[in-house]
Amino acid sequence: QVQLIESGGGLVQAMGSLRLSCAASGFTISNYRMAWFRQAPGKAREFVAGITWTGDSTYYAKSVEDRFTISRDNVENMVYLNMNSLKPEDTAVYSCAAHGSGNYYQPSTYIYWGQGTQVTVSS
């Protein structure tokens, strides 16, 4: 059974930091590009950060570049998102996902999804 389970979310003050983890089971993440998305209440799901199969390349939404860092451990089957200098507008449910094919900035091209973890940033 394929599963992605996120953890590490919580309540943090503005300018604080959090580290999100995504544990994969039932499949091997080394065969997939992986990414983090987020969805705030009343808004569409949006791309946050992505990483290639070996981790040699990463890419970010403009709103988080220079503050967030995505990484992966293919041996442990884990994906991470380090978030620094958090802002209230970063408040959302964060989900990790495994990419299928197509435009990797689009949620519709991802085939496996976790349930998400809530991140709330207070001002």
Side-chain angles (χ1 to χ4, degrees):
Q1 181 184 1
V2 169
Q3 280 192 309
L4 288 168
I5 300 176
E6 301 91 343
S7 61
L11 174 63
V12 64
Q13 288 189 330
M15 297 305 294
S17 299
L18 283 174
R19 188 191 197 205
L20 305 184
S21 299
C22 173
S25 60
F27 74 107
T28 303
I29 68 165
S30 61
N31 295 326
Y32 298 87
R33 286 179 183 259
M34 300 295 294
W36 287 92
F37 287 79
R38 67 187 182 186
Q39 188 167 21
K43 295 189 175 182
R45 180 177 279 169
E46 65 172 350
F47 172 85
V48 175
I51 188 166
T52 52
W53 302 265
T54 60
D56 60 335
S57 182
T58 57
Y59 35 99
Y60 300 90
K62 281 197 175 298
S63 59
V64 306
E65 62 185 358
D66 300 328
R67 298 189 298 124
F68 290 11
T69 303
I70 187 172
S71 60
R72 65 192 297 159
D73 184 335
N74 286 344
V75 174
E76 297 295 328
N77 233 25
M78 297 285 294
V79 184
Y80 303 98
L81 185 68
N82 283 305
M83 306 186 295
N84 297 316
S85 301
L86 282 160
K87 304 175 181 180
E89 51 263 44
D90 294 319
T91 295
V93 174
Y94 285 71
S95 301
C96 67
H99 184 248
S101 62
N103 185 335
Y104 43 78
Y105 291 98
Q106 295 298 323
S108 61
T109 64
Y110 286 74
I111 58 173
Y112 302 138
W113 287 88
Q115 290 296 311
T117 185
Q118 176 70 47
V119 171
T120 303
V121 185
S122 63
S123 57

